[in-house]
């Protein structure tokens, strides 16, 4: 792929990531009101639900994995640089490349293993051990999707950084909590 | 290879990778994976999927996005401004009254916010310009807010305590309640120190002319949103109506209602707030996943057990171990952010303190105060950075020099909670 090709692909990817994070936002708003409603029904009408708690935990998984590539894109993942600060800029770029490969390996294994887990959940028809007994494929596949987006975003970022065209360095510390 | 050498190698690898800028979450996960391949079994990599699924469907972790979201909406409503106005109308007669009211406001705001930098930023944006306008010493103004802001994670709700509870399986509700008294004590010590400093050097903070009672009372009228939110969170946990997760949802929903009825809920800021919440949530969740993978490797190699045994045979008393742990935590605080400190250190420290018979809830408070100190110590202090970004016209030098005296005061507060453990354990003991 040419340089501009990578850049324009990254622009599109950013839109997809932001869309995923917006979807996760919507889920968060729903979870907030689901749980609020649940407490209200239980406390005021003494009618607890069987599904809200369980569904909320699955939705947390979706929030996490729909948001992770967006977090990477926004530079939210916290890192420190007390050792690489000791080197000059040229050396720092090489260091960044190497350390990115370490991080990339983690994402790759995550994709591989969550993929395996999802495949097993299909092959063995795993369902949640609760009254709802939800087929776990619907839960686990969220992890596969999220890991894939994370990996893709990471690869593109590394490609751009390697070619020195990362126009706004995303490596600065992002928002902190 | 002996276990001792292996432990040292793993810690070295950790320091190297972290220092060269591998994001904390991926760094811990990567070391965990490589260690598993080398020393356990490649098939055990499947553990990563198990951990990811376990952590991200954990009921208690839902608390995290809910409280972060709540804090974001609290900022949209502008609760911090109104509380600060009320506080400085009531406390203006004290020496250094505006600085003390900043600390008091931070302590109050901490009851509706689970994050220190968020607290420092929200209060700093109103309090610091106000103090500088009234001729306060710049460094005192910045330092008071930076230090006061750290109370955000000690006074519940607290994101730090949620993560501590997740890693150590200590009840998050108990941790929350345990933080209340130490939080108030710390706020009091900080205020006292400001008062004494201003008494000794009156030119740090000019006296403000008295405020009329009418003005004082009318400023109270505006803090109702704060009272409602704080009460709905703490009340619901303490009275056992709701779990911490549910109280987080109640808090977030109540703030949303308030924002809506005050007409301050606009779509665009809300969307931005939600995106920030999701981004931070995903970041912390990944840090926990990486941390648990790291922890899986350690416990598979029986390293926590080994270190615990080593420490207990070699040290004179359990308190010398406790002090050593605190020193390490403070050093880590200079270099790392709170979440990273927790996920890196707890897999090793927590088994030690349990073996030595310390109270896990109390230790949670000790760790929290330690990471608070870490937030205002250079070179990496989140509150310092956030204030630099939030307040135009102050230099990093002013912020660091202004915060440094407060580091000592927080260490004093840490010592107080260590000497009097009941400050942290009494209230949760009453609870269940």
């Amino acid at each position: 792929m040419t340089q501009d090709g990578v850049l324009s692909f990254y622009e599109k990817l950013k839109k997809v990531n932001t869309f995923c994070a917006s979807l996760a936002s919507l889920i968060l708003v729903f979870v907030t009101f689901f749980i609020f409603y649940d407490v209200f029904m239980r406390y005021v009408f003494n009618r607890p639900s069987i599904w809200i708690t369980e569904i909320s935990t699955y939705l947390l998984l979706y929030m996490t994995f729909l948001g992770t590539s967006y977090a990477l894109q926004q530079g939210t993942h916290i890192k420190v640089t007390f050792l690489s600060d000791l080197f000059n800029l040229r050396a720092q770029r090489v260091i960044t490349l190497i350390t990115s490969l370490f991080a990339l390996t983690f994402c790759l294994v995550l994709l591989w293993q969550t993929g395996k887990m999802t495949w097993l959940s299909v092959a063995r028809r795993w369902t949640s051990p609760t009254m709802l007994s939800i087929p776990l494929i619907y839960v686990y596949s969220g992890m596969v999707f999220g890991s894939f987006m994370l990996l893709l975003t990471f690869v593109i970022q590394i490609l751009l950084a390697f070619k020195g065209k990362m126009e706004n360095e995303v490596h600065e510390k992002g928002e902190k909590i | 290879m002996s276990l001792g050498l292996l432990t040292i190698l793993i810690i070295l690898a950790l320091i190297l990778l972290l220092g060269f800028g591998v994001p904390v979450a991926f760094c811990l996960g990567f070391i965990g994976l490589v260690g598993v391949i080398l020393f356990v079994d490649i098939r055990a990599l499947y553990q990563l999927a198990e951990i990811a699924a376990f952590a991200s469907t954990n009921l208690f972790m839902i608390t995290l996005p809910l409280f972060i979201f709540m804090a974001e909406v609290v900022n949209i409503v502008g609760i911090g401004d109104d509380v600060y106005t009320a506080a400085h109308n009531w406390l203006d007669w004290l020496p250094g009254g505006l600085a003390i009211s900043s600390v008091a406001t931070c302590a109050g705001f901490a009851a509706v916010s689970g994050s220190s930098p968020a607290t420092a930023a929200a209060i700093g944006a109103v309090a610091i310009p106000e103090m500088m306008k009234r001729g306060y010493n710049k460094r005192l103004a910045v330092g008071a807010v930076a230090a006061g802001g750290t109370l955000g994670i000690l006074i519940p709700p607290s994101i730090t305590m949620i993560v501590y509870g997740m890693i150590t399986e200590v009840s998050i509700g108990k941790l929350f309640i345990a933080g209340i008294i130490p939080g108030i004590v710390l706020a009091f010590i900080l205020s006292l120190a400001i008062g004494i400093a201003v008494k000794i050097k009156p030119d740090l903070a000019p006296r403000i002319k008295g405020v009329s009672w009418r003005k004082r009372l009318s400023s109270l009228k505006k803090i109702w949103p704060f009272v409602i939110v704080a009460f709905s969170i703490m009340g619901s946990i303490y009275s056992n109506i709701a779990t911490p997760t549910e109280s987080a949802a109640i808090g977030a929903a109540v703030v949303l209602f308030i924002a809506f009825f005050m007409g301050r809920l606009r779509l665009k800021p809300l969307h931005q707030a939600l995106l920030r919440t999701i981004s931070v949530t995903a970041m912390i969740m990944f840090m926990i996943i990486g941390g648990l993978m790291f922890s899986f490797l350690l416990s598979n190699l029986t390293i926590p057990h080994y270190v615990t045994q080593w420490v207990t045979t070699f040290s004179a008393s359990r308190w010398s171990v406790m002090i050593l742990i605190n020193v390490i935590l403070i050093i880590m605080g200079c270099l790392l952010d709170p979440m990273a400190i927790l996920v890196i250190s707890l897999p090793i420290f927590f088994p030690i303190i349990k073996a030595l018979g310390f109270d896990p809830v109390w230790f949670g408070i000790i760790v929290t105060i330690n990471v608070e100190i870490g937030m205002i110590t250079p070179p990496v202090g989140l509150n310092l950075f956030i204030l630099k970004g939030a307040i135009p016209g102050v230099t990093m030098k002013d912020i660091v020099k202004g915060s440094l005296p407060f580091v000592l005061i927080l260490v004093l507060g840490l010592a107080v909670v260590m000497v009097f453990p009941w400050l942290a354990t009494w209230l949760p003991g009453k609870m269940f």
Side-chain angles (χ1 to χ4, degrees), chain B residues 334-357:
Chain B
C334 294
L335 298 172
L336 293 167
D337 89 295
M339 297 304 140
I341 297 174
L342 295 183
V343 292
I344 293 170
S345 71
L346 286 177
I348 296 177
F349 287 163
F350 193 69
I352 298 180
I353 71 110
K354 268 214 325 214
L356 293 174

Side-chain angles (χ1 to χ4, degrees), chain B residues 20-56:
Chain B
F20 280 122
V22 183
V24 178
F26 304 133
C27 172
L28 289 165
F30 178 74
I31 294 179
L33 294 176
V34 173
V36 163
I37 295 172
L38 290 180
F39 307 113
V40 188
D41 182 349
I42 192 160
R43 275 170 300 177
L45 284 183
Y46 185 62
Q47 192 66 26
L48 180 60
E50 298 268 9
I51 286 173
F54 162 78
S56 57

